[in-house]
Amino acid sequence: MEQTNHLFFTISALLFILFTFARSQSFIGVNYGEVADNLPPPEATAKLLQSTSISKVRLYGADPAMLRALAGTNISVVIGAANGDIPSLASDPAAASRWVAANVLPFIPATDISVIAVGNEVLNSGDPSLAAQLIPAMQNLATAVAAAAPNSNIKVSTVNIMAVLAQSEPPSSGAFHSDLTSGLKGILQFLTKTKSPFMINPYPYFAYRDDPRPETLAFCLFQPNSGRYDPGSKITYTNMFDAQLDAVKSALKGLGFPDVEIVIAETGWPYRGDSDEVGATVENARAFVGNLVSHLRSMKGTPLMPGKSVDTYIFALYDEDLKPGPESERSFGLFRPDLTMTYDAGLSKSGSTAQGNSSSAGAPTKRSPAAVAGWCVPKEGATDEELQANLDYACAQPGVDCGPIKPGGACYEPNTVPSHAAYAMNQLYQVSGRNSWNCDFRQSATLTSTNPSTFPCFPSL
């Protein structure tokens, strides 16, 4: 009976996950930057988005053509008021009313505008005068929206970078810079009053760039690792994304605002960089974004915010070829201007883009390799130490049931590290979406189309 129940629940869980993947997820968004001269027409971009599980878009301005193209798509939109607009919005309520009349009213309700982000990274802009005007600008815009569109439920917020934190490791010690706390308290009081989100840009990529050790890379890419223990909370973190979010949560709690909603306004990984930009590769970008999407879909949340996924906007939909700076700044795009994938991160509803698909930059392919092979198994030559680490990691992930490989379980025999690791690794591969990057395990695993054992120890759909 136990084996029958286990089989039933395994199949039910897999079917639920596959059904979920076919739909848009309310917590998966993307950034749409326009510092480029080769972007597709807005209408083509809107159709592309509808072919994916992306349900939110963040614009850095309020491009009317894009807002019109998104009408009727059920894709919610964050629009932005530029840093340069802040002085007039702060000093003149009429200017705020004019801004809303020009950038909001012509497009709602056909286009679902959810948030107005006032400025970008203002508190770290190096301009104290601009930072001082941020709260009045937000207040005036909120008042203007309430007067002109009282039933719209449009929120007003601002976007911050992780540098607003003076301390983020361990997560329980998260704290804001003391010289920013006065301004942040005013912002957080406003966000609490208006039930608006605190928007921030955590980038595990930059954490790895500053600490380019192999164990840091695995921690940043959601790959098997020994974890990082937080003595303050007694929690062991298995990935940098959760650690960064919980550091923000701790900082908010420390200022007296534990219940403010957190939204990830940007996060991503460059697929290309200059010769001295460590870690900027297609493989790492695919692993980070693909595993991030799987993590969000699991609904596990973070240790301090369990049971739900934080709204997350991936940076970015397209490359921005006119951006200055290192090569990585122009190499975050999930899609190319011809609407093909830069790499497959598991975001497509149908397994292909509107006009094509590719698994790596510059190399088109018909289908993702994950759609071909059915099982994830240890690679020949993998050591027991590597496989034990994979076993421990996989069994700790949501959706993976390692009960059958415990003493007395249906898959306990043979009682060896390779056998138990194979079971757990394959379980994680199956419930994470059966993408090729879900069977990497720091290059100690491989995909096979030959069933290595008998069902249900190695289920595959």
Side-chain angles (χ1 to χ4, degrees):
M1 179 63 74
E2 283 189 16
Q3 183 169 331
T4 301
N5 287 340
H6 167 66
L7 175 58
F8 173 78
F9 286 116
T10 298
I11 294 174
S12 297
L14 290 170
L15 289 173
F16 172 78
I17 290 165
L18 290 175
F19 175 73
T20 301
F21 283 7
R23 303 164 57 196
S24 294
Q25 271 85 42
S26 62
F27 40 78
I28 299 177
V30 72
N31 286 268
Y32 176 80
E34 297 185 87
V35 187
D37 60 4
N38 60 353
L39 296 176
E43 295 77 12
T45 293
K47 289 181 180 179
L48 172 65
L49 289 169
Q50 288 181 293
S51 74
T52 72
S53 55
I54 295 167
S55 65
K56 299 175 181 293
V57 176
R58 178 189 169 206
L59 310 183
Y60 289 83
D63 180 359
M66 182 55 67
L67 287 170
R68 283 192 292 269
L70 292 170
T73 62
N74 292 321
I75 295 172
S76 69
V77 188
V78 175
I79 61 174
N83 287 6
D85 293 332
I86 290 176
S88 63
L89 294 173
S91 62
D92 185 3
S97 296
R98 289 192 296 271
W99 195 96
V100 170
N103 298 295
V104 176
L105 297 184
F107 309 106
I108 60 171
T111 300
D112 179 14
I113 297 175
S114 59
V115 180
I116 300 172
V118 184
N120 191 41
E121 305 174 3
V122 174
L123 295 182
N124 295 90
S125 65
D127 185 344
S129 174
L130 190 67
Q133 297 175 86
L134 179 57
I135 297 173
M138 294 169 67
Q139 291 171 331
N140 284 342
L141 268 180
T143 300
V145 170
N151 298 319
S152 65
N153 199 35
I154 296 173
K155 305 300 183 182
V156 175
S157 187
T158 188
V159 176
N160 304 279
I161 56 175
M162 284 294 287
V164 297
L165 270 68
Q167 178 84 19
S168 61
E169 292 186 20
S172 63
S173 68
F176 294 111
H177 278 284
S178 58
D179 59 336
L180 298 178
T181 54
S182 176
L184 278 166
K185 280 185 177 179
I187 291 172
L188 291 166
Q189 287 169 349
F190 169 84
L191 298 179
T192 300
K193 181 180 179 180
T194 59
K195 298 181 180 179
S196 299
F198 180 77
M199 306 179 77
I200 194 161
N201 301 343
Y203 275 88
Y205 166 70
F206 294 128
Y208 172 65
R209 184 192 64 183
D210 296 339
D211 178 20
R213 295 175 296 156
E215 54 266 38
T216 304
L217 181 62
F219 189 67
C220 290
L221 296 181
F222 301 86
Q223 292 177 340
N225 62 88
S226 58
R228 296 186 180 182
Y229 181 69
D230 182 339
S233 63
K234 295 181 171 54
I235 293 168
T236 297
Y237 285 84
T238 60
N239 68 80
M240 181 65 78
F241 183 78
D242 284 356
Q244 290 182 327
L245 260 65
D246 278 359
V248 175
K249 182 71 171 178
S250 296
L252 291 170
K253 183 178 180 181
L255 271 190
F257 298 91
D259 299 323
V260 172
E261 177 190 4
I262 299 172
V263 164
I264 306 305
E266 284 182 24
T267 191
W269 198 286
Y271 65 86
R272 182 176 59 206
D274 292 327
S275 58
D276 60 346
E277 292 190 282
V278 62
T281 68
V282 170
E283 292 76 20
N284 288 343
R286 179 169 49 216
F288 174 75
V289 177
N291 288 332
L292 169 64
V293 169
S294 295
H295 183 59
L296 294 172
R297 284 171 171 161
S298 77
M299 301 298 288
K300 181 181 181 181
T302 75
L304 297 186
M305 295 179 285
K308 68 172 186 176
S309 290
V310 172
D311 287 355
T312 300
Y313 293 80
I314 300 167
F315 188 86
L317 186 59
Y318 303 118
D319 288 341
E320 294 178 87
D321 65 321
L322 300 182
K323 268 193 168 182
E327 182 64 28
S328 61
E329 285 293 313
R330 296 176 292 281
S331 306
F332 278 86
L334 298 171
F335 293 88
R336 303 186 186 91
D338 65 0
L339 307 181
T340 59
M341 294 179 186
T342 306
Y343 53 86
D344 186 352
L347 288 168
S348 176
K349 287 179 180 176
S350 61
S352 62
T353 62
Q355 295 187 12
N357 178 14
S358 67
S359 60
S360 63
T365 183
K366 291 181 179 179
R367 288 179 62 84
S368 164
V372 178
W375 295 272
C376 178
V377 297
K379 186 178 288 185
E380 185 176 353
T383 67
D384 278 6
E385 183 181 8
E386 290 175 318
L387 296 180
Q388 184 64 54
N390 296 347
L391 171 62
D392 294 341
Y393 175 81
C395 287
Q397 302 309 304
V400 176
D401 176 15
C402 287
I405 56 175
K406 293 179 180 179
C411 302
Y412 179 68
E413 297 293 347
N415 179 23
T416 64
V417 170
S419 176
H420 289 181
Y423 170 89
M425 292 157 64
N426 184 62
Q427 279 268 316
L428 181 58
Y429 168 69
Q430 299 296 336
V431 303
S432 296
R434 303 175 72 241
N435 300 298
S436 58
W437 57 86
N438 300 129
C439 185
D440 179 79
F441 292 93
R442 287 187 286 185
Q443 301 182 356
S444 63
T446 188
L447 290 167
T448 179
S449 57
T450 303
N451 191 338
S453 183
T454 56
F455 191 85
C457 289
F458 284 86
S460 175
L461 294 182

